[in-house]
Amino acid sequence: MEYQPEKDRYKNMFYNRLGKSGLKLPAISLGLWNNFGESDLFANQRAMITRAFDLGITHFDLANNYGPPAGAAEENFGRILKKDLASYRDQLIISTKAGFYMWEGPYGEWGSKKHIISSLDQSLKRMGLDYVDIFYHHRPDPETPLEETMATLDLIVRQGKALYVGLSNYSADQTREAAKILTSQKTPFIIHQASYSMFDRWIEDELTDLLDEIGVSAIAYVPLAQGLLTNKYLQGIPEDSRAAKAHIPFLKTTDISEEKLAKVVELNKLAKERGQSLAQMALAWVLRQDTVASALIGASRVAQIEDNVAALSQLSFTQAELDHIDRILAK
Ligand SMILES: NC(=O)c1ccc[n+]([C@@H]2O[C@H](COP(=O)([O-])OP(=O)(O)OC[C@H]3O[C@@H](n4cnc5c(N)ncnc54)[C@H](OP(=O)(O)O)[C@@H]3O)[C@@H](O)[C@H]2O)c1
């Protein structure tokens, strides 16, 4: 059946400006790291992307290596784009990345010009695109001179293969050094993609202050701690959960410790008192930071996307609630 987007899709989403740029991202973005691989049901992938778009999610985040196998998520997304969203390309922000292991040999990963240019060309081909909106260097490279990697990011913008660039998994110090080069080149560096959740607060140490200073926004990835910061693991490990999938090495059953679950129980209680699900409270919590323009969620089904977008109806916290969360997390 031909897909027709919801007419009122822009009514209930918030769009936040990235740093000092002209670009706005939806407060909730959808990432395709998991559940968009070769063995995941294509009909479900398509339902998730189109429902997300119906809910005002204009931003879809990919990387060269998302799958499995690596590349499959970009291929599947390309198929959905072609089938359902081709005429909406100008309403979409599509990002991809290079830097993690992608192919064998010395050019298949990290930050050389050779790797980044080849990888982006492959990504564009897999998705059937002329350009991506945001291109990230996915992780810092300890060996390649930073000047080479940053000059390559600049080059791809000049070539029209990306509109803006971002950095991911760079520490505050690495970001400061990279930003100096990008500023001197006048490269549109507008976003930093970093892990951030109630269980992973490292960006609060230095990174958010730096990003505010240089006028760059953050997008918070894994804001639900891969599903731990939801009610899904409160009664054991569901068969269809990420933790139960032996072929997905990212969330191990050993990560779901008694100590973490005890915190989840208390957080879940507080979320109920606020009249929201724990997933919704966890997303509101990352979005309380002004530096964070968007919470980058993952999902395995449409209902999760709907639940998560509904977080936007209750984003504010009292100081007492924030203190309560800090006390639970500190236990
Ligand atoms: N830059 C980087 O290095 C990097 C690294 C990792 C991720 N990322 C980006 O971040 C995105 C999100 O990562 P993530 O998928 O780990 O994020 P996440 O939002 O923390 O976890 C998503 C998982 O949580 C569960 N979930 C989501 N909503 C739920 C709800 N309302 N109720 C119950 N369970 C719910 C689902 O688990 P089940 O599948 O078990 O149902 C879902 O797959 C990725 O797709 C990628 O774009 C970037």
Side-chain angles (χ1 to χ4, degrees), residues 4 10 17 40 56 68 85 106 108 117 125 127 143 151 163 173-174 232 238 248 270 277 279 288-290:
Q4 287 294 336
Y10 291 116
R17 186 172 301 282
D40 297 301
L85 294 169
I117 297 286
K125 211 165 164 190
M127 291 189 279
E143 290 183 4
L163 302 186
D173 284 345
Q174 290 162 334
K232 82 176 305 162
I248 307 276
L270 176 62
S277 68
R288 86 198 186 291
Q289 283 270 1
D290 287 341

Side-chain angles (χ1 to χ4, degrees), residues 31-38 42 45 49 60-82 94-98 102-103 118-129 132 134-136 138:
L32 282 72
W33 177 36
N34 282 268
N35 306 311
F36 288 85
E38 202 171 70
F42 182 70
Q45 300 181 26
I49 298 289
F60 297 96
D61 182 72
L62 294 104
N64 54 357
N65 59 341
Y66 290 176
E74 287 182 331
E75 269 170 23
N76 285 326
F77 184 68
R79 281 171 70 195
I80 298 166
L81 264 182
K82 194 170 169 199
I94 301 166
S95 56
T96 195
K97 322 182 185 81
M102 188 59 198
W103 65 88
S118 309
S119 179
L120 177 55
D121 285 347
Q122 291 175 18
S123 292
L124 292 173
K125 211 165 164 190
R126 281 191 289 267
M127 291 189 279
L129 293 173
V132 289
I134 302 171
F135 180 78
Y136 292 94
H138 208 160

Side-chain angles (χ1 to χ4, degrees), residues 18-19 23-26 29-32 59-66 74 93-100 109-112 115-117 119-121 123-124 127 131-141 149-150 152-154 156-157 161-170 175 178 182 187-195 207 211 216-221 291-297:
L18 293 183
L23 189 68
K24 291 181 181 182
L25 284 192
S29 300
L30 181 65
L32 282 72
H59 176 35
F60 297 96
D61 182 72
L62 294 104
N64 54 357
N65 59 341
Y66 290 176
E74 287 182 331
I93 299 299
I94 301 166
S95 56
T96 195
K97 322 182 185 81
F100 277 98
E109 59 185 325
W110 297 112
S112 68
H115 171 65
I116 293 175
I117 297 286
S119 179
L120 177 55
D121 285 347
S123 292
L124 292 173
M127 291 189 279
Y131 70 96
V132 289
D133 298 276
I134 302 171
F135 180 78
Y136 292 94
H137 190 223
H138 208 160
R139 60 169 167 173
D141 178 346
T149 307
M150 296 307 120
T152 308
L153 294 183
D154 191 65
I156 62 175
V157 172
K161 291 177 186 170
L163 302 186
Y164 303 92
V165 301
L167 300 175
S168 185
N169 301 312
Y170 276 56
T175 305
L182 293 166
T187 314
F189 166 44
I190 60 170
I191 189 164
H192 188 299
Q193 188 172 130
S195 62
L207 187 68
L211 295 179
V216 168
S217 289
I219 180 166
Y221 78 69
T291 319
V292 175
S294 187
L296 177 52
I297 61 156

Side-chain angles (χ1 to χ4, degrees), residues 252-323:
K252 296 181 221 46
T253 46
T254 48
D255 296 331
I256 308 173
S257 61
E258 287 302 319
E259 191 194 327
K260 279 227 166 89
L261 278 179
K263 292 178 185 179
V264 173
V265 168
E266 287 196 58
L267 292 168
N268 193 43
K269 196 163 154 253
L270 176 62
K272 273 194 186 149
E273 286 164 17
R274 282 168 49 85
Q276 48 184 188
S277 68
L278 174 52
Q280 290 167 351
M281 185 174 85
L283 295 174
W285 186 88
V286 300
L287 288 168
R288 86 198 186 291
Q289 283 270 1
D290 287 341
T291 319
V292 175
S294 187
L296 177 52
I297 61 156
S300 63
R301 62 207 76 173
V302 164
Q304 291 174 347
I305 300 173
E306 291 168 343
D307 184 37
N308 296 340
V309 170
L312 301 181
S313 59
Q314 164 64 309
L315 285 181
S316 63
F317 287 90
T318 64
Q319 192 53 49
E321 286 170 334
L322 291 174
D323 293 344

Side-chain angles (χ1 to χ4, degrees), residues 187-236:
T187 314
F189 166 44
I190 60 170
I191 189 164
H192 188 299
Q193 188 172 130
S195 62
Y196 184 47
S197 74
M198 287 195 275
F199 283 156
D200 177 11
R201 301 179 69 164
W202 75 276
I203 69 168
E204 293 174 4
D205 292 343
E206 275 179 71
L207 187 68
T208 48
D209 283 347
L210 171 74
L211 295 179
D212 292 347
E213 185 191 313
I214 62 178
V216 168
S217 289
I219 180 166
Y221 78 69
V222 195
L224 304 175
Q226 299 200 58
L228 256 180
L229 284 167
T230 72
N231 57 11
K232 82 176 305 162
Y233 293 106
L234 286 176
Q235 267 86 44

